[in-house]
Amino acid sequence: AEAAPFVREYFTWMEAGDLRLGATLWLDQLSIIMTLVITGVGALIHLFSVGYMARDAAYPRYFLYLNLFVFFMLLLVLGGSYPVLFVGWEGVGFCSYLLIGFWFGEKKNADAGKKAFIINRVGDLGFLIAMFLMFAHWRVLDFAGVQAAVAATAPGTAVLTVVALMLFVGCTGKSAQLPLFTWLPDAMAGPTPVSALIHAATMVTAGVYLIIRSGFLFAAAPAAALTVVVIGATTALFAATIGLRQWDIKKVLAYSTVSQ
């Protein structure tokens, strides 16, 4: 039997009218697996970076950004409600912008960081709209409350479909799916350990995590679930065919990541 999640609220984050947001962390099997991936892979990449960045003048700044990224990624997977998850979501987007444009002295690096930031804002708008709709219809934003509200709503209704699709728009941005995938190949402008940490191991799985965490919502909205399957399958095939014709090894890895 699945154990009940461990939930702890540390303080009241925001209170206004019916809206009450707590700084809540949520630990269950899914969060633990994601936490182990982030800390495990993150530790190895930090270790590798010590040698890789040893002669770089901005060595302290690099590790500041890298640790800030790991903090926000952990907040993303441990958040107990959609708004707390969203703080981590925005945080990793910001750190990704800082790390991709790390060598901003070259214009193409700065442009790559800016491109990643702007394309991710498009996806994040979808995530925000999903949260606005959840609150407008169900007056709750924590995972347990939303799950109970979804269970009480007839499956396949318009509100469930639209909320699920808007969450998926957020995922297409963060996980570089069609049509918001173009930022990831350019993101290889950052230092190589950054490409490994963010764009091959952790940040691109944020979209996967969000869909699994909201699995009950997609199960109740078959049209949205079908959309996820179609876009996921199309992206897998489309990006793999682009990857076959790339000559730069980092670009090959980038399109491979988009595909997978």
Side-chain angles (χ1 to χ4, degrees):
E2 191 176 335
F6 173 77
V7 183
R8 173 167 291 181
E9 183 175 316
Y10 289 91
F11 55 88
T12 301
W13 171 23
M14 222 184 282
E15 210 164 4
D18 290 347
L19 177 68
R20 188 193 169 283
L21 296 178
T24 308
L25 297 185
W26 170 294
L27 193 69
D28 62 4
Q29 286 92 329
L30 177 60
S31 331
I32 289 169
I33 289 170
M34 291 299 290
T35 301
L36 288 172
V37 170
I38 295 159
T39 52
V41 174
L44 293 174
I45 286 163
H46 273 72
L47 198 61
F48 180 75
S49 298
V50 172
Y52 187 88
M53 299 297 286
R55 291 186 178 83
D56 198 286
Y59 185 82
R61 178 166 61 92
Y62 172 82
F63 276 94
L64 168 72
Y65 293 168
L66 214 56
N67 282 288
L68 193 62
F69 172 84
V70 172
F71 165 76
F72 279 122
M73 194 66 209
L74 287 170
L75 184 63
L76 192 159
V77 299
L78 293 171
S81 66
Y82 285 99
V84 177
L85 188 156
F86 190 69
V87 172
W89 189 271
E90 287 299 300
V92 291
F94 173 60
C95 293
S96 137
Y97 161 73
L98 294 174
L99 285 162
I100 293 165
F102 183 76
W103 290 314
F104 54 81
E106 282 185 53
K107 189 176 184 300
K108 71 176 178 63
N109 295 344
D111 287 348
K114 197 161 61 179
K115 182 176 182 178
F117 194 72
I118 292 165
I119 290 177
N120 269 286
R121 293 295 71 73
V122 176
D124 296 345
L125 178 63
F127 193 161
L128 273 172
I129 292 170
M131 287 195 290
F132 293 154
L133 287 169
M134 282 176 199
F135 189 73
H137 286 273
W138 304 319
R139 318 307 285 176
V140 285
L141 285 166
D142 61 291
F143 299 140
V146 172
Q147 190 162 0
V150 168
T153 310
T157 49
V159 63
L160 289 175
T161 306
V162 174
V163 168
L165 284 173
M166 286 296 127
L167 281 177
F168 183 56
V169 169
C171 299
T172 54
K174 198 64 80 196
S175 291
Q177 301 294 290
L178 282 171
L180 303 176
F181 73 96
T182 51
W183 67 269
L184 200 134
D186 288 11
M188 297 296 163
T192 301
V194 168
S195 308
L197 177 67
I198 297 185
H199 313 117
T202 57
M203 194 176 95
V204 286
T205 60
V208 181
Y209 169 78
L210 180 60
I211 285 185
I212 298 171
R213 176 61 75 210
S214 312
F216 57 87
L217 191 57
F218 287 90
L226 180 65
T227 308
V228 173
V229 171
V230 170
I231 291 184
T234 310
T235 306
L237 188 65
F238 179 74
T241 54
I242 298 176
L244 287 171
R245 296 292 298 149
Q246 297 295 321
W247 300 105
D248 177 357
I249 189 69
K250 286 180 90 172
K251 281 275 201 292
V252 175
L253 287 171
Y255 282 109
S256 157
T257 302
V258 173
S259 170
Q260 292 167 36

